[in-house]
Every structure is written in structure tokens, then in C-alpha cells.
Amino acid sequence: MDHNYWNVDDFIADSQRLPCTFNIDVPNMGQIQSNEERDIKALSRVELPFWLAELMALNNIVSINKPKSFSTRVKAALDANPTSVQLRHQNIHWYALGARLAQLMDDDDTEMQVLSKAYIGRIAQIFQQSQHLSTASTSSSSAAGTAAEGDEHGFATAQAIAAMVSDGPTLGMSTGTAMSAEITDFLQGMEESERALLRNGQEGARLMKDFMAGDH
């Protein structure tokens, strides 16, 4: 239960529902099931919010089953090509949920390695696209004499990034450059922490450009 109460990712992870199997009979808790049984029988399978599943698992009342977003199929796809997997479709806070879940699994080291490998396999693409978007948005703003899709510094705002990742095949046109379908799919499939990294990469590129130009 090592997490930060004020961390948004942790807070949202707490509300995620996990598939669980009861290890024992539990009286007077049938209301958490969809049927009309008063008691929960051992081996019953129920989806519980993370905060409750965690508490019960630590007391050996339930065993937590891996969600589909961390299934063998997803891991195999990440092993084959990390950037081809749309993590956002698995869970918008995939890393945060995975890190919390790993603490409750018997093979927690293995689960953390999966998260680390996915992160390492995707971070280069995130960085590359953050630089690309920063350059494109700056060029577009300079040419148009305005930053309609960006802030006063010319790089895309959080709102603009959110709009861009929902543009479909024309992703990037709002910043003056078209992107391949592969890159479009990757950007649309980034989960929340990856989108934050994209934003930070854009800002870092802008700050470095200003520094090199003497605007500091």
C-alpha cells in the first residue's frame, strides 16, 4: 500500500476494478455481487475496485487475477513491438495501475520488468515526436504570425495535444505537418503519463531553442 494519496494516478488507480476470486466464504457481503445471494461463496469471481481488492488480498480474503490489460497477449505484443500497442486502449493509466498491481502479485519483479521494458521501448518514440511537434508547431506559428493552436511560446498546449491525438489520419496537420498512420496510432494510443512526457518534451525543446538563441 505504498502510494501517495495526493497523486492523481494513484487516486485513479484506486478506482479501477480488478477481477478477483474469493478464497473463503464471506457472510453478508452478497450485495457486491450482481445476484441476490446474501453470502459470497469461496471461488466466487467478482470485480472489485482496487482499494477494496487490495485490502482483501492483503488479508488473504481474495486472490487478484490479472486484468486483460496485463494479459499474456498484451505482453507478447509489447515484446514484439512496444510502439505498436495502444496502451490507452488497455488502460489510460496503464503504468500507474501496473505498478500498484505488481506490489500485490507473487511475481512482482516480473511484472515490474514488463512495465520497465514497455517504457524503455516507447520512450525514444515519445521523445522523437515531442521534438517533431515542437519544431512543427513553432514553424507553423511563425509562418502564420499567430499561435492559435499553441501558447505564447508557439508549442502545442495541452488542449492542442488532446485535439491532435483525436484528429485521426490528419494528425499533425494542425501544426503544419502530416504524420504517418503508424505515428498517428502511436500518439493516439499513449496513456496519460506518456502524454505528459510528450508535453514536457515539447516544452524542453522550446526552452533549449530559446536558450541557444539567447532569449534568457
Side-chain angles (χ1 to χ4, degrees), residues 15-195:
S15 66
Q16 302 295 310
R17 302 187 73 83
L18 299 177
C20 300
T21 301
F22 275 81
N23 299 325
I24 59 175
D25 294 342
V26 181
N28 302 317
M29 283 195 65
Q31 66 271 18
I32 67 175
Q33 292 181 297
S34 57
N35 55 41
E36 297 181 357
E37 295 291 334
R38 187 183 68 176
D39 304 329
I40 294 181
K41 302 297 184 182
L43 302 182
S44 296
R45 295 190 175 187
V46 182
E47 284 197 347
L48 301 173
F50 193 106
W51 65 269
L52 181 57
E54 180 181 42
L55 180 63
M56 288 188 167
L58 291 174
N59 287 280
N60 203 32
I61 298 174
V62 302
S63 296
I64 296 177
N65 306 315
K66 290 182 182 179
K68 292 181 179 179
S69 52
F70 298 94
S71 66
T72 301
R73 182 177 180 179
V74 173
K75 293 177 183 178
L78 286 168
D79 284 339
N81 185 357
T83 60
S84 69
V85 180
Q86 293 192 315
L87 290 184
R88 194 173 191 83
H89 289 179
Q90 303 302 324
N91 190 286
I92 63 172
H93 291 272
W94 190 80
Y95 291 106
L97 179 61
R100 293 284 304 281
L101 188 61
Q103 298 176 21
L104 300 177
M105 308 299 289
D106 293 334
D107 53 348
D108 57 338
D109 288 341
T110 300
E111 296 303 316
M112 290 303 296
Q113 288 174 11
V114 170
L115 299 177
S116 297
K117 188 174 181 179
Y119 180 83
I120 293 171
R122 294 166 66 88
I123 188 64
Q125 183 69 276
I126 295 172
F127 175 78
Q128 181 180 347
Q129 295 310 315
S130 71
Q131 306 306 293
H132 176 72
L133 287 172
S134 179
T135 300
S137 59
T138 301
S139 299
S140 177
S141 296
S142 298
T146 181
E149 287 295 327
D151 62 10
E152 68 273 15
H153 300 298
F155 58 88
T157 62
Q159 291 83 359
I161 290 175
M164 283 190 291
V165 296
S166 63
D167 283 347
T170 60
L171 179 67
M173 292 300 291
S174 59
T175 57
T177 181
M179 292 183 179
S180 68
E182 181 180 356
I183 297 302
T184 298
D185 288 343
F186 175 74
L187 291 175
Q188 289 177 331
M190 291 189 306
E191 59 97 73
E192 283 301 301
S193 65
E194 292 178 330
R195 290 191 175 190

Side-chain angles (χ1 to χ4, degrees), residues 1-16 50-51 54 93 95-101 103:
M1 300 179 69
D2 181 21
H3 61 280
N4 184 352
Y5 179 83
W6 300 108
N7 183 281
V8 174
D9 285 348
D10 278 338
F11 180 78
I12 294 177
D14 270 343
S15 66
Q16 302 295 310
F50 193 106
W51 65 269
E54 180 181 42
H93 291 272
Y95 291 106
L97 179 61
R100 293 284 304 281
L101 188 61
Q103 298 176 21

